[in-house]
Amino acid sequence: MLKNPNELANDLDLLESLEKATLRFVVQAIHEFRQEAAEIFQNEKDLAQDIGEDVTREALDRIGVSKVAQRLFGKMDYKRARYLFLPEFAIKQALFIDSKAEKNAEKVARIQTSQISMRVRQIRQDADVDAAGELPTVVTVNGEDLLTTTIFVKYHYDPEQDRILRSITIAAIPNGMLQARYNPTCQDGIWLAGPNAPTRGEPFRTRLSFEKLAGKAAWRVQTIQCQGPLVWQG
């Protein structure tokens, strides 16, 4: 049976379990590729951000997915329409994964509204902000409905020691159907302000706080050490 992703609005626990299963898949792929990732970071001469994007694509392509024959568009460096198979049903998924690599800022990831289906409700400069995510909760492509799932991979490296890769944080941002669970109000959410400057006319961006997201659901933020076994959190 093929499940309609729109029906998940009435079964949020099932939606969470699908996102958890997807995160496990991404975490496993990145973990198995971690040693190659460290070598690539240390030896490549490209910008760290470009290397991060390449590493993520290589890791996911190596493990592979059950593809749906549809092309996805958007500002993410890995986009796949795929089947997600479970014992009772299958569902079509629009999987969006973005890579980040910064020298500092280990506890956050910079986010554009074009990369998420959630609304961003937060307080900035003592004022409430409510910005809509630009991705739909369900992507429709050529008449086919696919569940939107967004994951961010953040590579933490030491620029002072020949760009040694220390760890990798992987975070699953909730689908917008889960708004009330993760960001119901401007005072209760998972975001931090910035890094855009409205006074200079820069487009709205925000920062995902790994700590705040993990506080809502520990499993949504996983950290891979470049040495050692895979330890699932939450």
Side-chain angles (χ1 to χ4, degrees), residues 21 24 63 65 68 89 105 133 138 156 170 174 187 197-198 209:
R24 282 189 183 276
I63 201 168
V65 299
V68 174
F89 64 88
V138 175
H156 308 295
I170 306 174
Q187 293 74 28
S209 167

Side-chain angles (χ1 to χ4, degrees), residues 8 19 62 64 77 91 104 116 161 166 186 224-225 232:
L8 294 171
E19 295 192 333
R62 174 179 292 186
D77 53 69
I91 193 166
N104 301 307
I116 56 175
Q161 296 184 21
R166 298 196 307 270
C186 294
I224 295 174
Q225 301 299 330
W232 182 262

Side-chain angles (χ1 to χ4, degrees), residues 9-189:
N10 300 316
D11 193 344
L12 297 182
D13 288 342
L14 178 58
L15 173 54
E16 294 245 31
S17 70
L18 296 176
E19 295 192 333
K20 191 173 187 178
T22 303
L23 182 63
R24 282 189 183 276
F25 158 72
V26 177
V27 170
Q28 188 66 46
I30 299 294
H31 181 263
E32 290 186 5
F33 198 72
R34 69 194 187 284
Q35 293 181 345
E36 290 94 329
E39 293 175 3
I40 293 170
F41 260 86
Q42 198 165 8
N43 295 316
E44 285 283 0
K45 303 303 180 184
D46 292 340
L47 295 174
Q49 176 62 35
D50 295 337
I51 296 172
E53 294 173 7
D54 290 343
V55 165
T56 298
R57 280 192 291 265
E58 283 195 51
L60 271 294
D61 286 343
R62 174 179 292 186
I63 201 168
V65 299
S66 299
K67 296 179 181 179
V68 174
Q70 298 288 359
R71 179 179 293 276
L72 300 178
F73 299 92
K75 294 183 178 180
M76 306 289 268
D77 53 69
Y78 183 93
K79 303 176 285 290
R80 292 291 185 275
R82 70 163 193 157
Y83 288 100
L84 184 57
F85 293 104
L86 288 94
E88 302 299 328
F89 64 88
I91 193 166
K92 292 180 180 179
Q93 180 184 55
L95 178 58
F96 296 97
I97 304 176
D98 199 55
S99 303
K100 308 289 183 182
E102 298 176 277
K103 298 178 183 178
N104 301 307
E106 294 191 1
K107 297 182 179 180
V108 299
R110 296 184 182 188
I111 305 294
Q112 302 176 48
T113 54
S114 61
Q115 298 175 314
I116 56 175
S117 60
M118 286 188 73
R119 303 189 70 86
V120 177
R121 293 172 176 160
Q122 62 181 179
I123 298 174
R124 297 185 67 168
Q125 298 178 333
D126 298 322
D128 288 357
V129 173
D130 188 341
E134 297 176 39
L135 286 177
T137 57
V138 175
V139 175
T140 302
V141 184
N142 296 324
E144 293 191 272
D145 291 334
L146 300 93
L147 176 67
T148 298
T149 305
T150 304
I151 294 177
F152 285 83
V153 182
K154 181 75 177 284
Y155 296 91
H156 308 295
Y157 66 96
D158 191 337
E160 305 301 327
Q161 296 184 21
D162 296 325
R163 207 154 55 181
I164 293 175
L165 188 62
R166 298 196 307 270
S167 62
I168 306 165
T169 299
I170 306 174
I173 293 186
N175 182 282
M177 297 182 203
L178 296 163
Q179 187 77 42
R181 291 190 177 188
Y182 289 89
N183 186 202
T185 68
C186 294
Q187 293 74 28
D188 183 3

